[in-house]
Amino acid sequence: VSVGTTSTIAMWVKPIPSSDSFATLFSADASNGIYYRGASRKIALFGASAESTTLLTENAWTHIAIVNNAGSVTYYFNGVAGGTATSGPAYTATRIGNDSGSENFKGRLNDLRAYSRALTTAEIAALAAGNGGDTYTATLSGNPLVAQNNLTITSGTLDASASNCSS
């Protein structure tokens, strides 16, 4: 996944106690990406000027988001800003939970999302609240709608009668 200097990476993490200097969350190798600093319990975007100021609680699920807005980084924890940094780099991530330097994350990861834009504070809060954060309005005419997994209608109606559907 190509992660630009304007992007958002969000995920749920549940670290177990660890004294690791670096534990990979999302990266390609040992010199880029997002890391959990076990000894300090902070999140770091490798190459940015600072780690998060908020500490993760071990053995508990926390929603984290790292927003890189043209190099200006904001770390979020459960929808609340928990530190800033400058010089947020672009990178290509190919690994979740480990890297080429064997810096393995000890714990659990869930619902990792990569966005090619800087999400707003409200969108981050919605993700942390479990509301998906992705709301789209679309009008389809002549092209089929294909839904994989669950399709949720939050307002309006979906007419799926035989006259409007084909298989």
Side-chain angles (χ1 to χ4, degrees):
V1 173
S2 179
V3 181
T5 56
T6 299
S7 60
T8 302
I9 304 298
M11 69 186 87
W12 288 91
V13 298
K14 184 179 181 182
I16 61 172
S18 167
S19 61
D20 292 340
S21 295
F22 289 94
T24 302
L25 297 175
F26 190 56
S27 77
D29 57 42
S31 63
N32 68 36
I34 300 168
Y35 291 84
Y36 171 64
R37 304 292 309 267
S40 66
R41 299 191 346 253
K42 295 180 179 181
I43 299 296
L45 175 58
F46 195 91
S49 65
E51 300 173 345
S52 66
T53 54
T54 297
L55 308 180
L56 284 175
T57 301
E58 295 172 328
N59 297 313
W61 283 105
T62 303
H63 184 268
I64 65 168
I66 299 85
V67 177
N68 190 352
N69 193 355
S72 295
V73 177
T74 304
Y75 299 99
Y76 288 89
F77 297 82
N78 292 325
V80 178
T84 60
T86 59
S87 303
Y91 60 98
T92 299
T94 58
R95 297 171 177 249
I96 299 171
N98 68 10
D99 66 18
S100 60
S102 298
E103 297 169 319
N104 301 328
F105 176 70
K106 294 171 180 73
R108 293 182 170 190
L109 301 172
N110 195 10
D111 195 20
L112 187 141
R113 297 174 183 221
Y115 298 86
S116 61
R117 63 184 181 87
L119 268 59
T120 66
T121 300
E123 289 172 314
I124 297 293
L127 285 173
N131 295 326
D134 298 320
T135 302
Y136 300 99
T137 301
T139 302
L140 302 174
S141 176
N143 294 319
L145 170 66
V146 177
Q148 294 178 340
N149 299 320
N150 298 322
L151 174 63
T152 303
I153 307 299
T154 56
S155 65
T157 60
L158 175 64
D159 182 353
S161 63
S163 62
N164 288 325
C165 296
S166 63
S167 52

